[in-house]
Amino acid sequence: MSNGQWYPPEWPDRIRALASGELTPVAPKRAATVMLLRDTPDGGPAVHMLRRRASMAFAGGAYAYPGGGVDPRDDRPVRWAGPSLERWAARLGVDDTASAQAIVCAAVRETYEEAGVLLAGRTPDTVVGAVGTAVEGADGGTGDGAGTGEGAGWEADRQALVDRALSFAEFLDRRGLVLRSDLLGAWARWITPEFEPRRYDTWFFVAVLPQGQQARNASTEADRTVWIRPADAAAGYDKGELLMMPPTISTLRALTAFPTAGAALAAAGEQDLTPVLAQARLVEGEIVLSWPGHEEFTKRIEPAGPERPAEGGEDR
């Protein structure tokens, strides 16, 4: 393999089993992940990434963004600021506002659980700062002391969210906070291939690190976190130094076009949210695995199983 594309060795057998009817696809679970950005001192944004522990059953060792599955309670009514749920439902391509809220809530909740960054404030124009101290809002509003409290209390609440002992709606009520959906921009949507035993229908969001907050490795699923320029991360992937799944490297490449974190967030509304789902087909005895619209990830698998480079280019 000439790059860092995540490619489990069991995929060829599972693809053949799916093609023969021996494997029945499992229904994908809804999930959300956030590309958290901050500007660097010498120009250009960096993105917060975590490396999944090698022991993880899904994508072990791969670099990814904070995120996870939708909690069944994420559709409970929450204190809300930003675009209406109707607008979010239309943007995310879902049929009802409860689903839209659940997906957005999952994005904000998982970012807090895994990175310690909270996209919420006491009012629609404020956002909490470090250890719950409100700072100037993203739109210029001033903080009013939202979320003040001891650090230990905040950490206890964060852990309660991780343990599912506390719903996100309850957390916001307890802290007197509103979810700042306007601090998020929907960027892409990818669905895990049908031959995978664990499948996710994942919405990718972009957000800017709020002033006064710091990201950290708060996830038990990661052994390392980094702030890295999208171009540098993509270069590491191309060299085979950083392992990534196709959605991750695809979104990283898209982020390289923007000079600032704010510019990327502003461009989120222009991104295509058509779901991307891998396809496997048989061509002259070979299995061809592809992601529509993303030709760099095409794989050709010979009947006996080993991979070989796709015709006309190197193996990607």
Side-chain angles (χ1 to χ4, degrees):
M1 182 173 63
S2 60
N3 56 30
Q5 183 175 339
W6 181 67
Y7 189 81
E10 66 271 16
W11 269 13
D13 288 341
R14 295 191 63 85
I15 292 172
R16 293 187 181 92
L18 179 67
S20 67
E22 300 173 19
L23 177 66
T24 301
V26 299
K29 298 179 180 179
R30 293 180 304 176
T33 188
V34 176
M35 300 179 289
L36 192 61
L37 303 175
R38 72 178 185 189
D39 290 320
T40 58
D42 50 353
V47 61
H48 181 72
M49 303 190 75
L50 54 85
R51 184 176 64 189
R52 294 175 60 83
R53 294 185 183 276
S55 59
M56 295 297 297
F58 182 81
Y63 280 79
Y65 312 114
V70 171
D71 186 306
R73 302 172 298 176
D74 282 335
D75 62 0
R76 292 182 180 179
V78 298
R79 299 166 181 257
W80 187 270
S84 68
L85 288 173
E86 288 78 13
R87 287 180 59 188
W88 272 112
R91 176 63 179 140
L92 299 177
V94 295
D95 296 330
D96 58 279
T97 56
S99 294
Q101 181 193 286
I103 294 164
V104 174
C105 276
V108 176
R109 176 181 52 74
E110 287 285 343
T111 302
Y112 185 49
E113 289 180 12
E114 296 198 342
V117 172
L118 183 58
L119 303 176
R122 183 176 293 278
T123 64
D125 59 357
T126 60
V127 59
V128 295
V131 196
T133 302
V135 296
E136 184 175 340
D139 56 1
T142 56
D144 59 357
T148 55
E150 297 299 325
W154 281 85
E155 179 57 23
D157 282 354
R158 190 198 65 79
Q159 189 59 51
L161 288 170
V162 173
D163 296 337
R164 300 298 181 260
L166 188 68
S167 72
F168 198 62
E170 292 168 332
F171 167 76
L172 292 176
D173 286 342
R174 174 180 296 186
R175 291 288 173 178
L177 301 175
V178 296
L179 185 154
R180 290 286 305 273
S181 74
D182 55 314
L183 300 182
L184 285 170
W187 193 271
R189 181 181 177 184
W190 289 66
I191 303 175
T192 309
E194 293 182 333
F195 46 81
E196 262 290 296
R198 293 175 176 80
R199 300 189 63 216
Y200 301 94
D201 184 353
T202 304
W203 282 263
F204 286 71
F205 294 85
V206 65
V208 178
L209 179 69
Q211 180 183 352
Q213 294 196 39
Q214 293 184 349
R216 61 188 176 91
N217 183 8
S219 172
T220 59
E221 299 179 354
D223 60 13
R224 184 188 184 212
T225 59
V226 296
W227 281 101
I228 187 171
R229 295 175 184 271
D232 292 339
Y237 167 90
D238 290 335
K239 296 175 182 177
E241 298 171 353
L242 301 181
L243 185 67
M244 298 180 200
M245 293 174 283
T248 308
I249 182 59
S250 174
T251 49
L252 277 172
R253 294 201 197 284
L255 289 174
T256 62
F258 300 98
T260 66
L265 178 59
E270 304 170 4
Q271 305 306 307
D272 184 6
L273 261 64
T274 302
V276 180
L277 173 64
Q279 298 177 347
R281 63 188 188 278
L282 193 65
V283 179
E284 297 180 353
E286 290 181 321
I287 292 174
V288 179
L289 176 61
S290 62
W291 281 257
H294 301 269
E295 296 306 316
E296 79 163 288
F297 305 123
T298 298
K299 293 277 188 180
R300 289 182 178 269
I301 307 164
E302 295 179 345
E307 301 176 46
R308 68 178 177 81
E311 294 178 5
E314 63 179 11
D315 177 25
R316 287 186 181 269

